[in-house]
Amino acid sequence: MKLDVDTLGTFYEMAREGAGLAANRLSSMTDIPARVDVTHLNFTRDAAIARDLSGTEWVGIRVELSDGFGGTSLLLFDAESAETIATAVIDGIPTVTAGTLQESTVTEIAQIMNNGFVDGWANVLDTNIDVSAPTYVSADRPDEFLAGTELTPDEDELAVLFRNNLEAVGEELTFRHYLVPDSETVQRLFQARSEDRAIEFEKLVGFDRIAQRGATQVADNLTQMTGIEMDVDIRRINFISLDAIPSEVSPEPMVGVAFSFAGMPSGYLLFLFDADSARRLVSRSLETETARSLGEFERDAIQELSNVMASGMLDGWANLLDTSIDHSTPAYAHDMGAAVVDPLVVGLGDSQEFAFVFDTRIEAVDTEVDLDIYVIPDEEDLRQALGAFDMSRVAVTQPEASTDLSEQDVDLDYWDTL
């Protein structure tokens, strides 16, 4: 199956508008001002959704969709947020005892918000979408309400997932909305009508499998270079508007090391660390005391580590395509998260409106160290790359990257040239 990039863009914008409608409905019911934080169109595999929800008790509803649009919709609040919105609705009603009716209140609020999403889809598609009666879910184990849906694809499959986050003004609300169309709906709605703007879905699955191996290579490289056991925590592909990419990263000060890469495909690669993680990785790789700040010596070291990791991420694609992908010397920045990402967005903005972002999080197993990796290929190059390899090569292609830091080149001034 070939996906139509323009159609993906249309549905991405529609999902963002539906999230805005849901935020407005939440505000009108609770008097808590809310707005859309970020909307994602993800291609995700394995148990990535379950990992996204792990470690928190979630409360909300699950509904099944059919007729003009088949799939599953989950609308969830963390337990504390559910109590906040229920209290906002019930408070002041003299016949309601404190602590009661939370389940029915959360169900009603979630159903009204969910209908905002669904109504938006039905209007744009000019079709009827049947929505099942909501099932109230309350669990701290995601498999309890994900089992048996396309939210948990097989290992060699990608599920299409619309994921929306809202944020409240003046309240700490944690909210998730997941809308997962079934495979028949994906084929019917997103099938490419022409070759000009088509992405081969099966090839995207294969390309992502190589990216998964590249991420594993990066984790292994870090383990070898630092002695800290690292593991891949989250892997997914985001189809996202370029102007929304900065909202993907933490608003806190971050250490960023960026590369441009050229070949088939070309694009940008970004490693993001919080300052503590960067200092710990440097001290362990060089067997020194952990620095209190990031001076020029530490900046050089983190760039050298990133040079090795860049090869781990890109070599697999180059081997798959039997070509070379050359990356620049590393560009270092220590700034607010969005400011670190902005130069990459500007670099792509002249040629495309949306991007496929290969998004990875790597975490230490036993200590507080984490790393976010964003690979953003040029859209046209990605399309050509997906058409240039044989799927049979995916099973035998592996990334290869040396962990020798002795000959890595760095350029402290390169960031300003991006």
Side-chain angles (χ1 to χ4, degrees), residues 42-52 146 150-161 201-213 215-216 232-238 317 358-360 391 394:
N42 293 157
F43 299 90
T44 188
R45 64 169 70 252
D46 304 330
I49 303 167
R51 287 196 298 271
D52 192 33
L146 297 180
E150 297 202 24
L151 291 157
T152 52
D154 294 335
E155 181 163 328
D156 290 325
E157 296 179 349
L158 288 178
V160 178
L161 164 69
F201 186 61
E202 289 76 12
K203 295 285 190 74
L204 188 65
V205 174
F207 218 57
D208 184 63
R209 179 54 64 192
I210 301 301
Q212 172 74 36
R213 292 174 193 155
T216 301
V232 178
D233 182 50
I234 295 174
R235 272 279 311 118
R236 57 187 164 221
I237 307 172
N238 285 336
W317 284 350
F358 292 77
D359 179 2
T360 303
M391 280 293 289
V394 172

Side-chain angles (χ1 to χ4, degrees), residues 151-192:
L151 291 157
T152 52
D154 294 335
E155 181 163 328
D156 290 325
E157 296 179 349
L158 288 178
V160 178
L161 164 69
F162 290 87
R163 184 166 56 98
N164 298 286
N165 294 351
L166 304 183
E167 65 177 14
V169 179
E171 294 283 352
E172 292 292 331
L173 291 186
T174 301
F175 162 92
R176 297 286 188 274
H177 175 248
Y178 299 90
L179 179 64
V180 184
D182 60 29
S183 56
E184 186 277 329
T185 298
V186 170
Q187 293 195 31
R188 177 165 48 84
L189 295 183
F190 303 128
Q191 181 76 42

Side-chain angles (χ1 to χ4, degrees), residues 253-257 271-275 278 294 302 332-335 340:
M254 303 290 287
V255 173
V257 181
F271 298 99
L272 275 182
F273 317 77
D274 63 70
L294 291 166
I302 203 68
Y332 176 93
H334 188 187
D335 205 337
V340 173

Side-chain angles (χ1 to χ4, degrees), residues 245-246 248-258 269-275 277-278 281 302 306 309 333-341 344 359-362 369-374 415:
I245 291 177
E248 287 286 287
V249 304
S250 169
E252 300 299 320
M254 303 290 287
V255 173
V257 181
L269 168 61
L270 175 66
F271 298 99
L272 275 182
F273 317 77
D274 63 70
S277 293
L281 289 172
I302 203 68
S306 299
M309 293 189 293
H334 188 187
D335 205 337
M336 307 302 287
V340 173
V341 175
L344 313 187
D359 179 2
T360 303
R361 166 160 282 230
I362 293 176
V369 174
D370 53 56
L371 162 65
D372 290 313
I373 308 171
Y374 301 93
W415 184 265

Side-chain angles (χ1 to χ4, degrees), residues 6 39 68 82 112 128 134 206 229 245 248 261 329 336 338 351 356 390 418:
D6 291 330
T39 294
I112 291 171
N128 178 65
E229 185 178 355
I245 291 177
E248 287 286 287
F261 57 91
T329 53
M336 307 302 287
S351 60
F356 288 88
D390 190 306
L418 282 178

Side-chain angles (χ1 to χ4, degrees), residues 24-95:
N24 291 339
R25 292 187 176 186
L26 176 64
S27 298
S28 65
M29 289 182 289
T30 63
D31 290 328
I32 299 173
R35 67 177 185 85
V36 181
D37 181 20
V38 65
T39 294
H40 306 79
L41 196 172
N42 293 157
F43 299 90
T44 188
R45 64 169 70 252
D46 304 330
I49 303 167
R51 287 196 298 271
D52 192 33
L53 296 175
S54 295
T56 301
E57 181 179 356
W58 296 96
V59 176
I61 64 168
R62 168 177 161 175
V63 300
E64 303 303 323
L65 309 176
S66 58
D67 198 4
F69 187 105
T72 302
S73 180
L74 277 170
L75 197 147
L76 305 170
F77 299 91
D78 71 354
E80 185 176 345
S81 298
E83 182 177 353
T84 297
I85 63 169
T87 300
V89 172
I90 297 172
D91 191 35
I93 302 177
T95 57

